[in-house]
Every structure is written in structure tokens, then in C-alpha cells.
Amino acid sequence: MKIYDRQSALELVDNDEDLLSILVDSFLSENKFEKPVLENLIASGKMAEAASYVHATKGAARQLCMEKLKNSGQALEDVLRGKTEGNISELVQQMLTDYEEALFFLRADKN
């Protein structure tokens, strides 16, 4: 499973390099996925808000064809929304790991 499939992401935006660059820049500068924020929402019992927080990053990952992050985000979101069972702390850690990995690859691609 790919961390970042640049070619597929480019195809999603009709091979518009400028638009892809804007989406990548937006992800790098505006999409903050912070473990303490998510953990505070969960600890406060705000599962719907936590799921929305995860959903935003997962959606951005889907737009940029970052399969690992999209999949870990979906798994966590499903548990937070009560659709499936799972270990929330393990899923949070997996999504955070995938997020950091995605950031690394996006930054490398920008250079």
C-alpha cells in the first residue's frame, strides 16, 4: 500500500500540476492532525467531534491518494462513530504514524 501515490493524485486533478501543488501545500500548512487534540476530545467523551477531526485528515489523504493514512483514518473514524469495534489508542497511534510518514513524503516531493 502506497504512502503517497503522486501519479494517481495528479490524475485526480486532470494532470493539473498547479492544482496538485496547491492541494499539497494546503495539506502541509492547514491540515494539522495533533494527537493531544484528538486524545482530549476522546477523553472528554466527544466521540462525534473526534470522528470529525479524524474525518478531515482522512478526506485530505483520500484527495492526495495517501492510501495508508486514508485507511488508518477510516478504521479510527469507524470505531469513534461506533460502526466497528477496535482499540482506540492503537488506532490513534497508527493514524499518527501514517500521518507523519505522509508528511515526510509530501515534503520530500516538494523539494
Side-chain angles (χ1 to χ4, degrees):
M1 182 180 322
K2 290 194 175 188
I3 297 163
Y4 171 52
D5 184 345
R6 185 181 193 288
Q7 187 57 44
S8 292
L10 188 58
E11 289 169 12
L12 283 178
V13 295
D14 294 326
N15 295 310
D16 186 334
E17 289 280 354
D18 292 334
L19 180 54
L20 181 60
S21 181
I22 289 167
L23 291 173
V24 168
D25 288 344
S26 175
F27 187 87
L28 290 173
S29 65
E30 296 172 22
N31 190 310
K32 305 294 183 211
F33 183 71
E34 299 171 343
K35 188 176 180 180
V37 172
L38 181 57
E39 287 178 334
N40 285 337
L41 290 170
I42 293 167
S44 300
K46 297 178 180 176
M47 296 307 191
E49 287 180 46
S52 293
Y53 187 70
V54 168
H55 181 83
T57 297
K58 179 201 72 179
R62 179 175 282 131
Q63 268 190 321
L64 290 171
C65 298
M66 297 185 290
E67 290 297 310
K68 282 180 74 177
L69 179 56
K70 178 189 72 110
N71 289 344
S72 60
Q74 186 67 61
L76 177 56
E77 183 181 355
D78 286 348
V79 171
L80 292 171
R81 292 195 190 280
K83 294 180 179 180
T84 61
E85 301 272 326
N87 184 312
I88 291 176
S89 61
E90 286 178 12
L91 292 168
V92 167
Q93 189 54 52
Q94 183 61 57
M95 186 172 177
L96 185 65
T97 298
D98 293 345
Y99 176 75
E100 293 295 332
E101 198 173 41
L103 288 180
F104 176 81
F105 275 82
L106 287 178
R107 288 180 182 131
D109 187 58
K110 291 294 294 178
N111 296 330

